[in-house]
Amino acid sequence: MTLAARSLDAAFEACRRETAEWAKTFYLGTLLLPLAKRRAIWAIYVWCRRTDELMDSPEAQARPVDELADRLDRWEEQTRALFAGRVDDDLGAVMADTIERFPQDIQPYLDMIEGQRMDLTWTRYPSFEDLRLYCYRVAGTVGLMTQGVMGVDGAYTSAPWSAAPDTSDAAVALGIANQLTNILRDVGEDRGRGRIYLPQEDLQRFGYSEEDLMAGRLNAAWRELMGFQLQRAREWFARSEAGVRWLSRDARWPVWTSLRLYRGILDAIERIDYDVFNHRAYVSKLAKFADLPRSFVLAQSR
């Protein structure tokens, strides 16, 4: 299936609208990119959202595990076909265009699908290492999907002896940091689905029981537990910062903006005194726009 230019533009516009609706902080960062890169990121975001919806949409929540597993198998087959050049819908067309313009490997996409398979059977995570694997699969992979779109600054590769720096570790770290932030923001929502992503070893360490979490108890143990989790997420954000300097000049500002704004959700959790059971932590529109010049200044240095 090949879409005419006008139809392809319309398909990318649909991706833009969906990104703007469901990922407001992320979307703001994408607007700072050149058009071709912007559209590619929107396409990748929508592919990731479609993957996530196979497990987490309200409709999917009512389906039996066997049916969800079959859906993931079919989605994997469709993804393999996409990378082989066979598409049958608008999303496939924009993804095919993205892959042609910004060549990349299929493995991160398959790894993300594997992360969704974890949600079929994993409702608890014994250790942080278990959770880290999950975070890599459902979010660290996004860094690998998008790093080729962002590109590397030519200043590091222009000399004959230059070797392009590897931004993979930093890209994965940013994805993991973002997912840890999502988990901390969404503790209350996830418990309603019967899922607890906070590592069981950490609950035990801070003396906060699963029953306490399900009841939404706000006490000293909860605040200490959450303080520890926020610090861990900030450390993953710090790991990701080292790679931003390698990115192409037109990508550094958007990435710094997205990184700083998403990290701001951690500050918002502190401002609501860790009460993620009754309040949703978010960065206000005013704060988002106020941070743009700060991120711009950071982006000017390597």
Side-chain angles (χ1 to χ4, degrees):
M1 172 184 176
T2 302
L3 290 185
R6 182 176 299 177
S7 297
L8 190 64
D9 287 343
F12 273 115
E13 172 59 17
C15 290
R16 183 201 67 77
R17 290 196 302 268
E18 187 164 338
T19 307
E21 179 178 359
W22 295 102
K24 293 179 173 57
T25 298
F26 176 76
Y27 176 70
L28 177 60
T30 68
L31 294 179
L32 304 175
L33 286 165
L35 179 60
K37 293 185 177 184
R38 191 186 315 169
R39 296 193 344 161
I41 296 298
W42 294 335
I44 292 171
Y45 170 80
V46 172
W47 185 92
C48 293
R49 177 169 164 76
R50 291 288 179 276
T51 307
D52 183 71
E53 285 179 330
L54 294 174
M55 283 295 301
D56 282 345
S57 68
E59 181 268 341
Q61 294 294 308
R63 300 290 179 176
V65 169
D66 289 348
E67 183 175 333
L68 295 176
D70 288 342
R71 285 183 174 186
L72 289 170
D73 289 343
R74 291 194 298 272
W75 188 244
E76 179 176 337
E77 291 174 6
Q78 188 174 335
T79 300
R80 290 183 183 276
L82 166 65
F83 274 81
R86 302 189 302 274
V87 300
D88 57 8
D89 59 16
D90 284 2
L91 178 57
V94 295
M95 281 300 299
D97 183 83
T98 295
I99 293 166
E100 181 180 357
R101 290 173 182 270
F102 305 100
Q104 51 190 287
D105 190 77
I106 190 176
Q107 194 57 51
Y109 293 84
L110 300 180
D111 287 345
M112 176 172 281
I113 294 171
E114 203 59 39
Q116 297 303 318
R117 288 196 177 100
M118 290 179 73
D119 271 335
L120 290 172
T121 55
W122 289 65
T123 59
R124 305 292 187 274
Y125 288 81
S127 69
F128 177 69
E129 280 307 300
D130 297 316
L131 181 63
R132 185 198 61 77
L133 174 62
Y134 174 76
C135 289
Y136 158 71
R137 285 176 170 171
V138 300
T141 50
V142 180
L144 298 180
M145 295 171 189
T146 57
Q147 67 175 349
V149 178
M150 298 302 177
V152 172
D153 192 329
Y156 296 109
T157 60
S158 56
W161 57 84
S162 299
D166 187 353
T167 59
S168 298
D169 286 348
V172 168
L174 182 54
I176 290 175
N178 287 344
Q179 185 62 24
L180 291 174
T181 301
N182 288 341
I183 287 169
L184 297 177
R185 181 194 62 195
D186 298 339
V187 168
E189 180 180 336
D190 288 332
R191 67 174 174 162
R193 300 174 179 173
R195 296 177 186 169
I196 298 177
Y197 289 101
L198 300 182
Q200 298 292 297
E201 64 182 8
D202 293 343
L203 294 177
Q204 295 170 10
R205 174 182 174 182
F206 289 94
Y208 191 79
S209 69
E210 184 172 313
E211 292 74 19
D212 290 333
L213 191 150
M214 288 300 185
R217 293 193 178 97
L218 300 170
N219 53 28
W222 171 249
R223 292 180 176 88
E224 291 176 5
L225 170 64
M226 284 294 281
F228 176 78
Q229 303 300 322
L230 263 65
Q231 179 58 33
R232 173 185 281 156
R234 287 180 172 125
E235 289 171 359
W236 280 94
F237 276 116
R239 292 188 194 188
S240 72
E241 289 182 9
V244 181
R245 67 191 179 96
W246 302 110
L247 298 179
S248 61
R249 182 174 293 275
D250 60 16
R252 288 201 297 268
W253 187 20
V255 173
W256 266 119
T257 298
S258 295
L259 186 160
R260 288 173 55 82
L261 293 182
Y262 225 84
R263 186 167 53 193
I265 295 173
L266 301 175
D267 299 331
I269 291 173
E270 290 176 330
R271 285 195 295 272
I272 60 175
D273 197 23
Y274 308 110
D275 185 5
V276 291
F277 301 110
N278 301 298
H279 304 281
R280 184 171 180 83
Y282 66 95
V283 178
S284 70
K285 288 184 179 180
L286 179 60
K288 289 177 182 179
F289 285 105
D291 194 78
L292 287 175
R294 300 187 186 100
S295 296
F296 179 79
V297 171
L298 285 170
Q300 303 316 301
S301 61
R302 293 193 184 97

